[in-house]
Amino acid sequence: MKTLHNSFKSDGVVVSTIDHLVNLARANSLWYLLFSTACCGIELMQTGGPRADLERFGSAPRAVPRQADVMLVAGTITLKMASRVKTLYDQMADPKYVISMGSCANSGGLFQSGYSVLHGVDRVIPVDVYLPGCPPRPEALLSALIDLQKKIKKEPYFRKKIS
């Protein structure tokens, strides 16, 4: 019979890279900017609530762009608002990521025939993950966050890509 002390004894060695460890910490502590412009914001609030519990992924809402890692663009963006979205994106610290949430943020949605609606937030800022739906369910937002975490875990943080 093994003692408690011997059951934790290991002969193996764990080897990893600094990039992997840093990216693991970065991927599991994504703070998102509270930014919503339309009905997708209600689904964003639902995802932060107790049923979906966005905080179990290490995500926390931030009201200041300088403290946020992820911008969740939830809802319709008008042409007048596009410059403000760009300003908020520019104020975020690097590395920064964007999730475009809902049909309106992706392509203008059912309002795309309007003269004042931006036909996709990717015309103003780069988007990392697109989340379809009108409005997308909280489970879909969690799936998009997991996709973003997978992307972050694969990035070289200290090593620069040579093209």
Side-chain angles (χ1 to χ4, degrees):
M1 184 170 188
K2 290 184 178 181
T3 64
L4 183 64
H5 184 270
N6 288 339
S7 65
F8 292 110
K9 192 174 181 181
S10 174
D11 295 335
V13 176
V14 176
V15 178
S16 183
T17 63
I18 298 292
D19 276 341
H20 177 71
L21 293 175
V22 169
N23 286 340
L24 187 65
R26 286 178 47 233
N28 292 312
S29 63
L30 293 174
W31 291 1
Y32 60 94
L33 181 64
L34 281 176
F35 179 73
S36 111
T37 57
C39 50
C40 286
I42 296 169
E43 297 298 323
L44 175 60
M45 289 182 252
Q46 177 65 30
T47 309
R51 182 172 293 191
D53 194 18
L54 195 60
E55 289 185 5
R56 68 184 156 147
F57 292 97
S59 295
R62 305 306 303 167
V64 181
R66 289 174 182 85
Q67 297 175 352
D69 302 315
V70 179
M71 177 186 273
L72 291 168
V73 181
T76 309
I77 304 296
T78 61
L79 296 174
K80 190 174 184 179
M81 200 185 311
S83 64
R84 278 102 175 150
V85 172
K86 176 72 172 148
T87 302
L88 286 172
Y89 179 78
D90 290 340
Q91 289 177 351
M92 293 171 62
D94 284 328
K96 51 192 167 187
Y97 305 96
V98 176
I99 295 177
S100 179
M101 181 178 174
S103 299
C104 293
N106 292 342
S107 65
L110 64 136
F111 304 111
Q112 65 186 356
S113 61
Y115 67 92
S116 63
V117 175
L118 184 68
H119 295 237
V121 74
D122 56 354
R123 295 176 184 232
V124 180
I125 57 176
V127 175
D128 296 296
V129 178
Y130 291 94
L131 179 58
C134 182
R137 300 268 312 140
E139 295 84 10
L141 180 54
L142 291 177
S143 176
L145 182 70
I146 291 170
D147 290 345
L148 184 60
Q149 286 178 333
K150 288 177 185 175
K151 179 180 179 179
I152 291 171
K153 288 177 185 176
K154 292 178 185 176
E155 286 181 348
Y157 186 74
F158 290 110
R159 295 173 285 127
K160 300 289 181 189
K161 288 185 180 179
I162 299 173
S163 25

